[in-house]
Amino acid sequence: MGGTNVWDAEWEVNEEQARTLIGKQFPQLSSKQVKRLGWGWDNTVFLIGDEYVFRFPRRTIAVGSIRMEGKLLPKLEAYMTIPYPKPLFYGEASDEYPAPFLGYAYVPGDFPIGLTEERRALSAETLAKFLRRLHEFPVQAALKCGVQQDHRSLTDIASRKVKLEGFLSKVVEHLSPEESGVIEAYISRLQTDRVEAVNALLHGDLHFKNMLVNENGIVSGIIDWGDLSVGHPACDLSVAYSFLPSYARGVFFETYGGADEETKLLARLIAVYIPVLILMQAVDDGNEAIAAEAKSNIMRALSD
């Protein structure tokens, strides 16, 4: 499929290049070990020693996000109830590499892959308190930092439904007949075309690849803030469906401060939509663990 996916890179940075770029601009870090941690659609991520993480944009579209993160993330500190990566090193574009890059304090933890439902339920209040505070951040202050407003048309359910059907057709052979049946039945029941716009500051990409858990499986870090945006809180509240078992959702929404039926409907849709995208990429990468986790997220989102 090479070269045609939305997650294909315009520039790749390897460990050697990262070491050179960081060492030139931040000589105090030049003696530290550089290890590639992984990559997402927009950035390649490196661990520097065991104290810092650097993110290098892979695509032009990610450059604005890195700049905006550098401005806004420090302002969020008073609102954060879960550790998050604070920017400490602001790398500039140069002849060697065409984009700015950021270095953050390292947030320890493991990705929540393969957790039991009981373990997941332990994070219901933690996640709800985190999102309640994040969504209280003043929208105007966020917009002044260059955050985009509803650039993904979150409230347009009709077009998201069409996209979801297209994505599913690409991964259907990687789903069991039962899984694809449940998803198709859900899509056919989805009759709402759009919901009322609501504006809050969003993490914007809250799923298992951007969350960290401690040794007890409780969420202990929220990472990858490149999709910070202003839009419908359902985008972030989707985590109640994709991450939490159905029996923990009541306490989640009670702690958050409630949500109307439209919000819950959109949150559930996004809780299916994002893991389907993750599944597509995992299939392309041949990553079976991520693919299995994405599928379990989808099925959890559709359980009542």
Side-chain angles (χ1 to χ4, degrees):
M1 288 161 84
T4 57
N5 298 310
V6 288
W7 54 81
D8 288 330
E10 290 170 42
W11 331 287
E12 283 292 10
V13 179
N14 60 31
E15 286 177 0
E16 197 50 53
Q17 287 168 300
R19 186 180 290 108
T20 303
L21 291 165
I22 293 165
K24 270 191 180 168
Q25 296 194 35
F26 310 105
Q28 69 272 36
L29 303 181
S30 57
S31 63
K32 295 189 181 293
Q33 193 178 1
V34 175
K35 180 184 160 204
R36 192 177 96 141
L37 278 182
W39 56 273
W41 289 22
D42 293 337
N43 302 282
T44 308
V45 185
F46 297 90
L47 182 61
I48 314 303
D50 53 10
E51 304 141 274
Y52 308 113
V53 167
F54 272 74
R55 289 168 76 221
F56 290 85
R58 305 170 75 237
R59 314 189 293 151
T60 308
I61 198 168
V63 170
S65 293
I66 282 275
R67 289 209 175 99
M68 174 270 296
E69 272 186 68
K71 284 184 197 156
L72 183 55
L73 283 179
K75 296 182 195 296
L76 294 184
E77 192 163 5
Y79 291 78
M80 287 293 113
T81 60
I82 297 177
Y84 77 112
K86 286 185 285 251
L88 301 170
F89 302 98
Y90 291 73
E92 300 292 337
S94 64
D95 292 344
E96 289 103 342
Y97 177 72
F101 55 95
L102 271 184
Y104 312 76
Y106 173 62
V107 179
D110 297 306
F111 292 115
I113 292 174
L115 292 182
T116 64
E117 298 303 289
E118 291 74 20
R119 285 270 167 118
R120 292 168 180 279
L122 296 174
S123 291
E125 287 185 49
T126 305
L127 282 167
K129 284 176 185 162
F130 161 73
L131 288 175
R132 187 176 74 208
R133 285 295 286 143
L134 175 65
H135 294 168
E136 284 168 0
F137 187 86
V139 165
Q140 286 314 115
L143 293 173
K144 274 188 190 146
C145 288
V147 173
Q148 289 186 285
Q149 187 161 0
D150 198 30
H151 61 297
R152 289 170 293 177
S153 306
L154 290 171
T155 54
D156 184 352
I157 289 178
S159 72
R160 192 167 291 266
K161 184 174 159 182
V162 171
K163 283 183 190 163
L164 181 57
E165 287 169 330
F167 297 150
L168 269 175
S169 67
K170 294 181 181 172
V171 292
V172 71
E173 74 251 37
H174 300 277
L175 297 166
S176 70
E178 184 198 357
E179 287 166 339
S180 54
V182 167
I183 299 166
E184 282 161 18
Y186 163 70
I187 291 173
S188 67
R189 285 197 311 273
L190 193 62
Q191 297 304 323
T192 308
D193 282 345
R194 75 167 36 249
V195 297
E196 280 296 311
V198 183
N199 284 322
L201 178 64
L202 308 174
H203 174 278
D205 198 22
L206 201 54
H207 54 73
F208 69 90
K209 289 178 76 181
N210 291 336
M211 297 159 68
L212 300 171
V213 293
N214 63 19
E215 63 280 2
N216 299 316
I218 296 171
V219 175
S220 60
I222 303 290
I223 60 171
D224 195 347
W225 291 73
D227 280 301
L228 267 168
S229 52
V230 165
H232 202 296
C235 179
D236 289 348
L237 296 173
S238 64
V239 76
Y241 294 91
S242 59
F243 185 80
L244 295 176
S246 56
Y247 64 82
R249 289 173 196 151
V251 76
F252 172 91
F253 283 113
E254 200 178 309
T255 307
Y256 176 76
D260 60 23
E261 288 312 307
E262 277 200 345
T263 297
K264 289 180 175 176
L265 178 113
L266 180 55
R268 194 190 294 263
L269 172 58
I270 293 169
V272 174
Y273 187 91
I274 292 176
V276 166
L277 279 173
I278 293 171
L279 176 59
M280 280 170 64
Q281 188 177 356
V283 164
D284 192 51
D285 291 345
N287 190 325
E288 288 178 23
I290 297 286
E293 183 64 28
K295 283 192 268 189
S296 81
N297 274 237
I298 296 164
M299 299 316 285
R300 188 177 301 107
L302 294 178
S303 71
D304 283 317

Short mmCIF file of all heavy atoms in Angstrom, two decimals, residues 122-180:
data_model
loop_
_atom_site.label_atom_id
_atom_site.label_comp_id
_atom_site.label_asym_id
_atom_site.label_seq_id
_atom_site.Cartn_x
_atom_site.Cartn_y
_atom_site.Cartn_z
N LEU A 122 -11.19 0.61 37.08
CA LEU A 122 -10.52 1.37 38.15
C LEU A 122 -10.21 2.81 37.73
O LEU A 122 -9.98 3.66 38.58
CB LEU A 122 -9.21 0.68 38.56
CG LEU A 122 -9.31 -0.72 39.17
CD1 LEU A 122 -7.92 -1.32 39.38
CD2 LEU A 122 -10.09 -0.68 40.49
N SER A 123 -10.16 3.08 36.43
CA SER A 123 -9.81 4.43 35.94
C SER A 123 -11.01 5.31 35.63
O SER A 123 -10.84 6.42 35.15
CB SER A 123 -8.94 4.31 34.68
OG SER A 123 -7.67 3.80 35.01
N ALA A 124 -12.22 4.83 35.91
CA ALA A 124 -13.42 5.60 35.53
C ALA A 124 -13.41 7.01 36.13
O ALA A 124 -13.57 8.01 35.41
CB ALA A 124 -14.69 4.85 35.94
N GLU A 125 -13.19 7.11 37.45
CA GLU A 125 -13.20 8.43 38.09
C GLU A 125 -11.98 9.26 37.69
O GLU A 125 -12.09 10.47 37.48
CB GLU A 125 -13.26 8.28 39.62
CG GLU A 125 -14.63 7.82 40.09
CD GLU A 125 -14.72 7.79 41.61
OE1 GLU A 125 -14.34 8.80 42.25
OE2 GLU A 125 -15.18 6.77 42.15
N THR A 126 -10.82 8.60 37.59
CA THR A 126 -9.58 9.30 37.21
C THR A 126 -9.75 9.98 35.85
O THR A 126 -9.40 11.16 35.69
CB THR A 126 -8.42 8.28 37.12
OG1 THR A 126 -8.33 7.58 38.36
CG2 THR A 126 -7.10 8.95 36.82
N LEU A 127 -10.29 9.25 34.88
CA LEU A 127 -10.47 9.80 33.53
C LEU A 127 -11.54 10.89 33.52
O LEU A 127 -11.39 11.92 32.84
CB LEU A 127 -10.86 8.69 32.55
CG LEU A 127 -9.71 7.81 32.08
CD1 LEU A 127 -10.24 6.56 31.37
CD2 LEU A 127 -8.77 8.57 31.14
N ALA A 128 -12.62 10.69 34.27
CA ALA A 128 -13.71 11.68 34.29
C ALA A 128 -13.25 12.99 34.91
O ALA A 128 -13.56 14.08 34.40
CB ALA A 128 -14.90 11.11 35.06
N LYS A 129 -12.48 12.92 36.01
CA LYS A 129 -11.97 14.15 36.64
C LYS A 129 -11.01 14.88 35.71
O LYS A 129 -11.04 16.11 35.62
CB LYS A 129 -11.25 13.80 37.95
CG LYS A 129 -12.19 13.48 39.10
CD LYS A 129 -11.40 13.04 40.34
CE LYS A 129 -12.35 12.59 41.43
NZ LYS A 129 -11.66 11.77 42.45
N PHE A 130 -10.17 14.10 35.05
CA PHE A 130 -9.22 14.69 34.09
C PHE A 130 -9.95 15.45 32.99
O PHE A 130 -9.63 16.61 32.69
CB PHE A 130 -8.35 13.57 33.51
CG PHE A 130 -7.67 13.93 32.22
CD1 PHE A 130 -6.59 14.81 32.20
CD2 PHE A 130 -8.10 13.41 31.01
CE1 PHE A 130 -5.96 15.16 31.02
CE2 PHE A 130 -7.48 13.74 29.81
CZ PHE A 130 -6.42 14.62 29.83
N LEU A 131 -10.97 14.84 32.41
CA LEU A 131 -11.69 15.48 31.30
C LEU A 131 -12.55 16.64 31.79
O LEU A 131 -12.68 17.64 31.09
CB LEU A 131 -12.52 14.45 30.54
CG LEU A 131 -11.68 13.48 29.71
CD1 LEU A 131 -12.55 12.40 29.07
CD2 LEU A 131 -10.89 14.22 28.62
N ARG A 132 -13.12 16.52 32.98
CA ARG A 132 -13.92 17.63 33.51
C ARG A 132 -13.05 18.90 33.63
O ARG A 132 -13.45 19.98 33.20
CB ARG A 132 -14.49 17.26 34.88
CG ARG A 132 -15.46 18.29 35.43
CD ARG A 132 -16.08 17.83 36.73
NE ARG A 132 -15.12 17.92 37.84
CZ ARG A 132 -15.17 17.13 38.92
NH1 ARG A 132 -16.10 16.20 39.04
NH2 ARG A 132 -14.27 17.28 39.88
N ARG A 133 -11.83 18.74 34.16
CA ARG A 133 -10.94 19.89 34.31
C ARG A 133 -10.43 20.40 32.97
O ARG A 133 -10.41 21.61 32.72
CB ARG A 133 -9.76 19.53 35.22
CG ARG A 133 -10.12 19.44 36.68
CD ARG A 133 -10.55 20.79 37.27
NE ARG A 133 -9.42 21.69 37.49
CZ ARG A 133 -9.45 23.01 37.31
NH1 ARG A 133 -10.55 23.60 36.91
NH2 ARG A 133 -8.39 23.75 37.55
N LEU A 134 -10.01 19.50 32.10
CA LEU A 134 -9.51 19.91 30.78
C LEU A 134 -10.59 20.70 30.04
O LEU A 134 -10.31 21.75 29.45
CB LEU A 134 -9.10 18.68 29.96
CG LEU A 134 -8.68 18.97 28.52
CD1 LEU A 134 -7.39 19.81 28.46
CD2 LEU A 134 -8.48 17.66 27.74
N HIS A 135 -11.82 20.22 30.09
CA HIS A 135 -12.92 20.86 29.35
C HIS A 135 -13.34 22.18 29.98
O HIS A 135 -14.14 22.92 29.41
CB HIS A 135 -14.11 19.90 29.20
CG HIS A 135 -13.80 18.71 28.34
ND1 HIS A 135 -14.62 17.60 28.26
CD2 HIS A 135 -12.74 18.46 27.51
CE1 HIS A 135 -14.09 16.72 27.42
NE2 HIS A 135 -12.95 17.22 26.96
N GLU A 136 -12.81 22.49 31.18
CA GLU A 136 -13.08 23.79 31.81
C GLU A 136 -12.08 24.86 31.38
O GLU A 136 -12.26 26.04 31.69
CB GLU A 136 -13.01 23.65 33.35
CG GLU A 136 -14.24 22.98 33.94
CD GLU A 136 -14.06 22.58 35.41
OE1 GLU A 136 -12.97 22.81 35.98
OE2 GLU A 136 -15.02 22.02 35.98
N PHE A 137 -11.03 24.48 30.67
CA PHE A 137 -10.03 25.46 30.24
C PHE A 137 -10.70 26.50 29.34
O PHE A 137 -11.49 26.13 28.46
CB PHE A 137 -8.88 24.77 29.50
CG PHE A 137 -7.74 25.69 29.17
CD1 PHE A 137 -6.72 25.91 30.10
CD2 PHE A 137 -7.68 26.37 27.95
CE1 PHE A 137 -5.67 26.78 29.81
CE2 PHE A 137 -6.63 27.24 27.66
CZ PHE A 137 -5.62 27.43 28.60
N PRO A 138 -10.41 27.79 29.52
CA PRO A 138 -11.11 28.83 28.73
C PRO A 138 -10.85 28.68 27.22
O PRO A 138 -9.70 28.71 26.78
CB PRO A 138 -10.51 30.15 29.25
CG PRO A 138 -9.87 29.82 30.56
CD PRO A 138 -9.47 28.38 30.50
N VAL A 139 -11.92 28.53 26.48
CA VAL A 139 -11.83 28.33 25.03
C VAL A 139 -11.10 29.49 24.34
O VAL A 139 -10.27 29.28 23.46
CB VAL A 139 -13.25 28.11 24.44
CG1 VAL A 139 -13.25 28.26 22.93
CG2 VAL A 139 -13.77 26.73 24.82
N GLN A 140 -11.40 30.73 24.77
CA GLN A 140 -10.76 31.89 24.12
C GLN A 140 -9.25 31.88 24.28
O GLN A 140 -8.50 32.20 23.36
CB GLN A 140 -11.33 33.20 24.68
CG GLN A 140 -12.74 33.53 24.21
CD GLN A 140 -12.95 33.35 22.72
OE1 GLN A 140 -13.73 32.50 22.29
NE2 GLN A 140 -12.26 34.15 21.92
N ALA A 141 -8.79 31.47 25.46
CA ALA A 141 -7.34 31.40 25.71
C ALA A 141 -6.70 30.35 24.81
O ALA A 141 -5.58 30.54 24.31
CB ALA A 141 -7.08 31.07 27.18
N ALA A 142 -7.41 29.26 24.57
CA ALA A 142 -6.89 28.21 23.69
C ALA A 142 -6.82 28.71 22.25
O ALA A 142 -5.82 28.50 21.55
CB ALA A 142 -7.79 26.97 23.77
N LEU A 143 -7.86 29.40 21.80
CA LEU A 143 -7.89 29.90 20.42
C LEU A 143 -6.76 30.90 20.18
O LEU A 143 -6.16 30.94 19.11
CB LEU A 143 -9.25 30.54 20.11
CG LEU A 143 -10.45 29.57 20.08
CD1 LEU A 143 -11.76 30.32 19.94
CD2 LEU A 143 -10.31 28.54 18.96
N LYS A 144 -6.43 31.69 21.22
CA LYS A 144 -5.32 32.66 21.09
C LYS A 144 -3.98 31.97 20.88
O LYS A 144 -3.05 32.58 20.34
CB LYS A 144 -5.24 33.53 22.35
CG LYS A 144 -6.16 34.73 22.31
CD LYS A 144 -5.90 35.66 23.50
CE LYS A 144 -6.97 36.73 23.57
NZ LYS A 144 -7.29 37.11 24.94
N CYS A 145 -3.88 30.73 21.34
CA CYS A 145 -2.62 29.97 21.17
C CYS A 145 -2.55 29.26 19.81
O CYS A 145 -1.61 28.52 19.55
CB CYS A 145 -2.48 28.94 22.28
SG CYS A 145 -2.11 29.66 23.88
N GLY A 146 -3.56 29.48 18.97
CA GLY A 146 -3.53 28.89 17.63
C GLY A 146 -4.24 27.56 17.50
O GLY A 146 -4.10 26.86 16.51
N VAL A 147 -5.03 27.21 18.52
CA VAL A 147 -5.79 25.96 18.46
C VAL A 147 -6.89 26.09 17.41
O VAL A 147 -7.56 27.12 17.34
CB VAL A 147 -6.41 25.65 19.84
CG1 VAL A 147 -7.34 24.46 19.77
CG2 VAL A 147 -5.31 25.39 20.86
N GLN A 148 -7.09 25.05 16.62
CA GLN A 148 -8.13 25.08 15.59
C GLN A 148 -9.50 24.77 16.20
O GLN A 148 -9.59 24.01 17.15
CB GLN A 148 -7.82 24.05 14.50
CG GLN A 148 -6.64 24.44 13.63
CD GLN A 148 -6.48 23.46 12.49
OE1 GLN A 148 -6.02 22.35 12.67
NE2 GLN A 148 -6.87 23.86 11.31
N GLN A 149 -10.53 25.37 15.60
CA GLN A 149 -11.89 25.13 16.08
C GLN A 149 -12.63 24.19 15.15
O GLN A 149 -12.78 24.47 13.96
CB GLN A 149 -12.65 26.46 16.20
CG GLN A 149 -14.00 26.29 16.86
CD GLN A 149 -14.55 27.59 17.40
OE1 GLN A 149 -13.92 28.63 17.30
NE2 GLN A 149 -15.73 27.54 18.00
N ASP A 150 -13.04 23.06 15.69
CA ASP A 150 -13.83 22.04 14.98
C ASP A 150 -13.37 21.83 13.53
O ASP A 150 -14.19 21.80 12.61
CB ASP A 150 -15.33 22.35 15.02
CG ASP A 150 -16.15 21.10 14.69
OD1 ASP A 150 -15.68 19.99 14.99
OD2 ASP A 150 -17.25 21.22 14.12
N HIS A 151 -12.07 21.67 13.33
CA HIS A 151 -11.55 21.48 11.97
C HIS A 151 -11.89 20.10 11.42
O HIS A 151 -11.71 19.84 10.23
CB HIS A 151 -10.03 21.70 11.95
CG HIS A 151 -9.26 20.76 12.83
ND1 HIS A 151 -9.43 20.73 14.19
CD2 HIS A 151 -8.34 19.81 12.53
CE1 HIS A 151 -8.63 19.80 14.71
NE2 HIS A 151 -7.96 19.23 13.73
N ARG A 152 -12.42 19.20 12.28
CA ARG A 152 -12.77 17.86 11.80
C ARG A 152 -14.28 17.65 11.70
O ARG A 152 -14.73 16.52 11.51
CB ARG A 152 -12.17 16.80 12.74
CG ARG A 152 -10.66 16.71 12.62
CD ARG A 152 -10.07 15.84 13.71
NE ARG A 152 -10.24 16.46 15.02
CZ ARG A 152 -9.86 15.88 16.15
NH1 ARG A 152 -9.31 14.70 16.13
NH2 ARG A 152 -10.02 16.51 17.30
N SER A 153 -15.05 18.73 11.83
CA SER A 153 -16.53 18.64 11.74
C SER A 153 -17.06 17.49 12.59
O SER A 153 -17.77 16.61 12.10
CB SER A 153 -16.97 18.46 10.28
OG SER A 153 -16.43 19.45 9.47
N LEU A 154 -16.72 17.52 13.87
CA LEU A 154 -17.07 16.42 14.77
C LEU A 154 -18.57 16.15 14.83
O LEU A 154 -18.99 15.02 14.99
CB LEU A 154 -16.57 16.73 16.19
CG LEU A 154 -15.06 16.68 16.40
CD1 LEU A 154 -14.70 17.22 17.79
CD2 LEU A 154 -14.52 15.27 16.22
N THR A 155 -19.37 17.22 14.70
CA THR A 155 -20.82 17.06 14.90
C THR A 155 -21.54 16.52 13.66
O THR A 155 -22.72 16.21 13.71
CB THR A 155 -21.46 18.40 15.31
OG1 THR A 155 -21.09 19.39 14.35
CG2 THR A 155 -20.96 18.85 16.68
N ASP A 156 -20.82 16.40 12.55
CA ASP A 156 -21.41 15.91 11.29
C ASP A 156 -21.38 14.38 11.28
O ASP A 156 -20.45 13.76 10.77
CB ASP A 156 -20.63 16.49 10.10
CG ASP A 156 -21.25 16.11 8.76
OD1 ASP A 156 -22.19 15.28 8.74
OD2 ASP A 156 -20.78 16.62 7.73
N ILE A 157 -22.42 13.78 11.86
CA ILE A 157 -22.46 12.33 12.01
C ILE A 157 -22.64 11.65 10.65
O ILE A 157 -22.04 10.61 10.38
CB ILE A 157 -23.58 11.94 12.99
CG1 ILE A 157 -23.16 12.36 14.40
CG2 ILE A 157 -23.87 10.44 12.93
CD1 ILE A 157 -24.19 12.08 15.47
N ALA A 158 -23.45 12.24 9.78
CA ALA A 158 -23.73 11.61 8.48
C ALA A 158 -22.45 11.35 7.68
O ALA A 158 -22.23 10.24 7.17
CB ALA A 158 -24.71 12.47 7.68
N SER A 159 -21.57 12.35 7.60
CA SER A 159 -20.36 12.15 6.79
C SER A 159 -19.37 11.21 7.50
O SER A 159 -18.67 10.44 6.86
CB SER A 159 -19.69 13.49 6.46
OG SER A 159 -19.08 14.04 7.59
N ARG A 160 -19.36 11.25 8.84
CA ARG A 160 -18.48 10.33 9.58
C ARG A 160 -18.94 8.88 9.38
O ARG A 160 -18.13 7.96 9.29
CB ARG A 160 -18.49 10.70 11.07
CG ARG A 160 -17.43 10.02 11.90
CD ARG A 160 -17.30 10.68 13.25
NE ARG A 160 -16.74 12.02 13.14
CZ ARG A 160 -15.44 12.30 13.27
NH1 ARG A 160 -14.58 11.34 13.51
NH2 ARG A 160 -15.00 13.53 13.14
N LYS A 161 -20.24 8.70 9.32
CA LYS A 161 -20.81 7.36 9.09
C LYS A 161 -20.37 6.82 7.72
O LYS A 161 -19.96 5.66 7.60
CB LYS A 161 -22.34 7.47 9.18
CG LYS A 161 -23.09 6.17 9.07
CD LYS A 161 -24.58 6.42 9.33
CE LYS A 161 -25.43 5.32 8.76
NZ LYS A 161 -26.86 5.56 8.94
N VAL A 162 -20.41 7.68 6.70
CA VAL A 162 -19.99 7.27 5.35
C VAL A 162 -18.51 6.89 5.36
O VAL A 162 -18.10 5.87 4.79
CB VAL A 162 -20.25 8.41 4.32
CG1 VAL A 162 -19.61 8.10 2.98
CG2 VAL A 162 -21.76 8.63 4.16
N LYS A 163 -17.68 7.72 6.02
CA LYS A 163 -16.25 7.41 6.11
C LYS A 163 -16.01 6.10 6.83
O LYS A 163 -15.18 5.29 6.42
CB LYS A 163 -15.51 8.54 6.86
CG LYS A 163 -15.28 9.78 6.03
CD LYS A 163 -14.48 10.79 6.86
CE LYS A 163 -14.43 12.15 6.19
NZ LYS A 163 -14.04 13.20 7.11
N LEU A 164 -16.75 5.90 7.92
CA LEU A 164 -16.59 4.68 8.71
C LEU A 164 -16.90 3.44 7.86
O LEU A 164 -16.17 2.45 7.92
CB LEU A 164 -17.52 4.74 9.94
CG LEU A 164 -17.47 3.56 10.91
CD1 LEU A 164 -16.06 3.35 11.45
CD2 LEU A 164 -18.45 3.78 12.06
N GLU A 165 -17.95 3.52 7.06
CA GLU A 165 -18.29 2.39 6.17
C GLU A 165 -17.16 2.10 5.19
O GLU A 165 -16.82 0.94 4.94
CB GLU A 165 -19.60 2.69 5.42
CG GLU A 165 -20.83 2.60 6.32
CD GLU A 165 -22.10 3.15 5.69
OE1 GLU A 165 -22.02 4.07 4.85
OE2 GLU A 165 -23.17 2.65 6.05
N GLY A 166 -16.54 3.18 4.68
CA GLY A 166 -15.41 3.01 3.76
C GLY A 166 -14.21 2.35 4.43
O GLY A 166 -13.58 1.45 3.88
N PHE A 167 -13.90 2.80 5.65
CA PHE A 167 -12.77 2.22 6.39
C PHE A 167 -13.03 0.75 6.70
O PHE A 167 -12.14 -0.09 6.58
CB PHE A 167 -12.54 2.96 7.72
CG PHE A 167 -12.16 4.40 7.57
CD1 PHE A 167 -12.51 5.32 8.56
CD2 PHE A 167 -11.46 4.86 6.46
CE1 PHE A 167 -12.17 6.66 8.44
CE2 PHE A 167 -11.11 6.19 6.33
CZ PHE A 167 -11.47 7.09 7.33
N LEU A 168 -14.27 0.44 7.10
CA LEU A 168 -14.60 -0.94 7.46
C LEU A 168 -14.41 -1.89 6.29
O LEU A 168 -13.95 -3.01 6.46
CB LEU A 168 -16.05 -1.02 7.94
CG LEU A 168 -16.26 -0.84 9.43
CD1 LEU A 168 -17.74 -0.81 9.75
CD2 LEU A 168 -15.56 -1.94 10.22
N SER A 169 -14.74 -1.40 5.09
CA SER A 169 -14.60 -2.27 3.92
C SER A 169 -13.15 -2.68 3.72
O SER A 169 -12.86 -3.74 3.15
CB SER A 169 -15.15 -1.58 2.67
OG SER A 169 -14.34 -0.47 2.35
N LYS A 170 -12.21 -1.86 4.23
CA LYS A 170 -10.78 -2.17 4.06
C LYS A 170 -10.27 -3.16 5.09
O LYS A 170 -9.23 -3.78 4.89
CB LYS A 170 -9.95 -0.88 4.16
CG LYS A 170 -10.21 0.08 3.02
CD LYS A 170 -9.36 1.33 3.14
CE LYS A 170 -9.68 2.28 1.98
NZ LYS A 170 -9.03 3.57 2.11
N VAL A 171 -10.97 -3.29 6.22
CA VAL A 171 -10.47 -4.18 7.28
C VAL A 171 -11.40 -5.36 7.55
O VAL A 171 -11.14 -6.15 8.44
CB VAL A 171 -10.22 -3.41 8.61
CG1 VAL A 171 -9.05 -2.46 8.47
CG2 VAL A 171 -11.47 -2.70 9.09
N VAL A 172 -12.47 -5.47 6.77
CA VAL A 172 -13.50 -6.47 7.09
C VAL A 172 -12.92 -7.88 7.13
O VAL A 172 -13.34 -8.71 7.96
CB VAL A 172 -14.71 -6.35 6.14
CG1 VAL A 172 -14.37 -6.82 4.73
CG2 VAL A 172 -15.92 -7.08 6.70
N GLU A 173 -11.91 -8.18 6.30
CA GLU A 173 -11.36 -9.55 6.32
C GLU A 173 -10.54 -9.83 7.57
O GLU A 173 -10.18 -10.96 7.84
CB GLU A 173 -10.54 -9.85 5.06
CG GLU A 173 -9.19 -9.19 5.00
CD GLU A 173 -9.14 -8.07 3.97
OE1 GLU A 173 -10.12 -7.35 3.80
OE2 GLU A 173 -8.07 -7.95 3.33
N HIS A 174 -10.25 -8.77 8.34
CA HIS A 174 -9.51 -8.95 9.60
C HIS A 174 -10.45 -9.00 10.81
O HIS A 174 -10.00 -9.04 11.95
CB HIS A 174 -8.48 -7.83 9.78
CG HIS A 174 -7.48 -7.79 8.68
ND1 HIS A 174 -6.36 -8.59 8.66
CD2 HIS A 174 -7.45 -7.07 7.52
CE1 HIS A 174 -5.67 -8.36 7.55
NE2 HIS A 174 -6.32 -7.44 6.85
N LEU A 175 -11.76 -8.97 10.54
CA LEU A 175 -12.76 -9.07 11.60
C LEU A 175 -13.45 -10.43 11.51
O LEU A 175 -13.59 -10.99 10.41
CB LEU A 175 -13.81 -7.97 11.45
CG LEU A 175 -13.34 -6.52 11.57
CD1 LEU A 175 -14.41 -5.58 11.07
CD2 LEU A 175 -12.98 -6.19 13.02
N SER A 176 -13.90 -10.94 12.65
CA SER A 176 -14.70 -12.17 12.62
C SER A 176 -16.10 -11.83 12.09
O SER A 176 -16.51 -10.66 12.15
CB SER A 176 -14.81 -12.76 14.02
OG SER A 176 -15.64 -11.93 14.82
N PRO A 177 -16.84 -12.84 11.60
CA PRO A 177 -18.21 -12.55 11.14
C PRO A 177 -19.05 -11.91 12.24
O PRO A 177 -19.86 -11.02 11.98
CB PRO A 177 -18.76 -13.94 10.77
CG PRO A 177 -17.54 -14.76 10.45
CD PRO A 177 -16.45 -14.23 11.34
N GLU A 178 -18.84 -12.34 13.50
CA GLU A 178 -19.60 -11.76 14.61
C GLU A 178 -19.25 -10.29 14.80
O GLU A 178 -20.13 -9.44 14.94
CB GLU A 178 -19.30 -12.53 15.91
CG GLU A 178 -20.14 -12.04 17.08
CD GLU A 178 -19.58 -12.46 18.44
OE1 GLU A 178 -18.57 -13.18 18.48
OE2 GLU A 178 -20.15 -12.02 19.45
N GLU A 179 -17.94 -9.96 14.76
CA GLU A 179 -17.50 -8.58 14.94
C GLU A 179 -18.06 -7.68 13.84
O GLU A 179 -18.63 -6.62 14.12
CB GLU A 179 -15.96 -8.50 14.94
CG GLU A 179 -15.33 -9.04 16.22
CD GLU A 179 -13.83 -9.28 16.10
OE1 GLU A 179 -13.32 -9.41 14.96
OE2 GLU A 179 -13.16 -9.36 17.14
N SER A 180 -17.91 -8.12 12.59
CA SER A 180 -18.40 -7.26 11.49
C SER A 180 -19.93 -7.14 11.54
O SER A 180 -20.48 -6.08 11.24
CB SER A 180 -17.93 -7.77 10.12
OG SER A 180 -18.27 -9.11 9.93
#
